[in-house]
Amino acid sequence: MTLTPLLPASIAPPFGNYSHGIGTETLVVTSGQLALAADGSVPAGIEAQAELCFANIAAILAEAGLDFSHVLRFSTYVTRREDMAPYMAVRDRVLAGLPVKPASTLLIVSGFTRPEFLIEIEALASR
């Protein structure tokens, strides 16, 4: 199995010694994407953060020649119960045109590496 790192130049670099995504002949796995813009800014609010997380995932998938139609599963983590519905509204908009929606998991967690982060999303996709 060949492992290919996926590190799109259009998004902020990883915080540490890891890849934003890894591609194999059959799968692409993304690291959890926080709402960090390429310029280092973090948007306010769950909807803006969810949109940026999905945009970052789209860039990683595109690096592998894929798009959201290839996603098997999203795993999402939010820090506040009241952010579940706004997140799901963004997810539903992002996936609106797909005939088959990916599997999805949503968990509430106590926090992330920086307090301004409200959401983290990771994806598993198939070629």
Side-chain angles (χ1 to χ4, degrees):
M1 172 173 45
T2 303
L3 300 178
T4 303
L6 303 170
L7 297 161
S10 62
I11 66 177
F15 286 138
N17 192 20
Y18 63 91
S19 297
H20 277 309
I22 296 291
T24 71
E25 293 81 4
T26 58
L27 294 174
V28 168
V29 178
T30 73
S31 293
Q33 294 300 299
L34 294 161
L36 185 65
D39 67 2
S41 64
V42 177
I46 188 67
E47 289 188 30
Q49 288 198 19
E51 289 169 0
L52 182 53
C53 291
F54 279 118
N56 288 347
I57 290 170
I60 296 164
L61 294 172
E63 189 88 356
L66 305 179
D67 59 32
F68 287 133
S69 70
H70 297 92
V71 174
L72 301 171
R73 177 187 199 90
F74 286 113
S75 296
T76 303
Y77 310 87
V78 297
T79 58
R80 302 180 306 199
R81 191 171 306 281
E82 61 267 23
D83 288 338
M84 292 169 51
Y87 155 71
M88 289 187 287
V90 172
R91 182 198 60 200
D92 292 350
R93 281 195 306 272
V94 167
L95 304 178
L98 297 180
V100 177
K101 307 301 190 248
S104 182
T105 296
L106 177 61
L107 297 160
I108 300 168
V109 298
S110 64
F112 299 110
T113 55
R114 291 175 23 196
E116 63 266 36
F117 293 128
L118 304 174
I119 186 168
E120 184 170 346
I121 306 172
E122 59 188 27
L124 172 65
S126 177
R127 293 189 188 272

